Amino acid sequence: MQLSDFNYELPANLIAQHPLANRTDSRLLEVNADGKNDAQLIDRQFKDILSLIKPGDLLVFNDTKVIPARLHGKKETDGNVELLIERISGDMQAWVQIRASKVPKTGSIVHIHNQAGETFPVEMIGYDGRFYEVRFPENVFSLLERFGELPLPPYIEHQPDGEDAQRYQTVVAKNPGAVAAPTAGLHFDENILQQLKDFGVHQATVTLHVGAGTFTPVREEDLSKHKMHHEWFSIPEETLQAIEDTKKKGGRVVAVGTTSLRALESQALSRQSSGETNLFITPGFQFKAVDCLLTNFHLPKSTLLMLVSAFAGMGNIRAAYQHAIDQRYRFFSYGDAMFLCRLENTNP
């Protein structure tokens, strides 16, 4: 597969910059795919999810919570520097992306500050070719709460505000560690979750801490050379049991978002219920756990666009994205959603 196979032209004014008034106000594109890459596309509202999910199905959410992962500071030479947590690797350590005119050297100190005038030192201790490992003087989470800023995606152009603090979290978020929201979950509110329960739809959770690597562009034209970023995941035993019970009774496992899907498929491949995953899903991948997927629209040339193309067929996804552009759907984190079911034959 080539990177250029997953490109498309998106008008900039279709990139959603703010959430809609209510979580469930989004549009929903139902993609009824078949093995001939000739999907039937149906325009819906998100509340129509109640007619797409069946009694006995299992909705699997990612319950990760976005942390205030963006930090601002100065190098010892007084140059400005911005750190974005990629993933937390220990009580006092993390891997980060760094933005600076000249990246600090290993062993040097960066002084992080906040608007209250407080500061603390971060030591640069390593580099893996893409991310820098840093050491904090105390617990990472406690320092982020005092000094960190909500890390909105790079395509959202405003500074984070109170609206973002509430709406860039899902209503099921409880385990801190993500630096980007599992955005398919942003469409659900407590009311629609209760309606689904009353309808006989089961719900379960996984945790996958979305890393900043999710926004790292793929630079290799030959996708076999791309190195996928690592993300930590955990799947509770009760979720694994719920999946087994659902499949035995003929229900479908519906992943809410690509992060939930990656966690479930990682477990299905490795048989490990927790750890780090760098699973890179491209067309030809044989899915084992997930039957249907609720997902937002993804960036051109992104690993997530490759994942949904593997799930529903490249031709079907191309048609769905072109339809969404023509019908002026809203794209990316604060945008609209798609509902896909897995092809029996997921080859291109």
Side-chain angles (χ1 to χ4, degrees), residues 58 174 203-205 235-245:
L58 177 69
K174 65 177 183 179
Q203 297 172 25
T205 60
I235 303 178
E237 181 58 39
E238 55 265 33
T239 296
L240 294 174
Q241 187 62 54
I243 292 170
E244 183 179 340
D245 293 344

Side-chain angles (χ1 to χ4, degrees), residues 103-114:
V103 175
K105 295 180 180 179
T106 300
S108 64
I109 300 294
V110 170
H111 296 277
I112 303 300
H113 57 74
N114 62 14

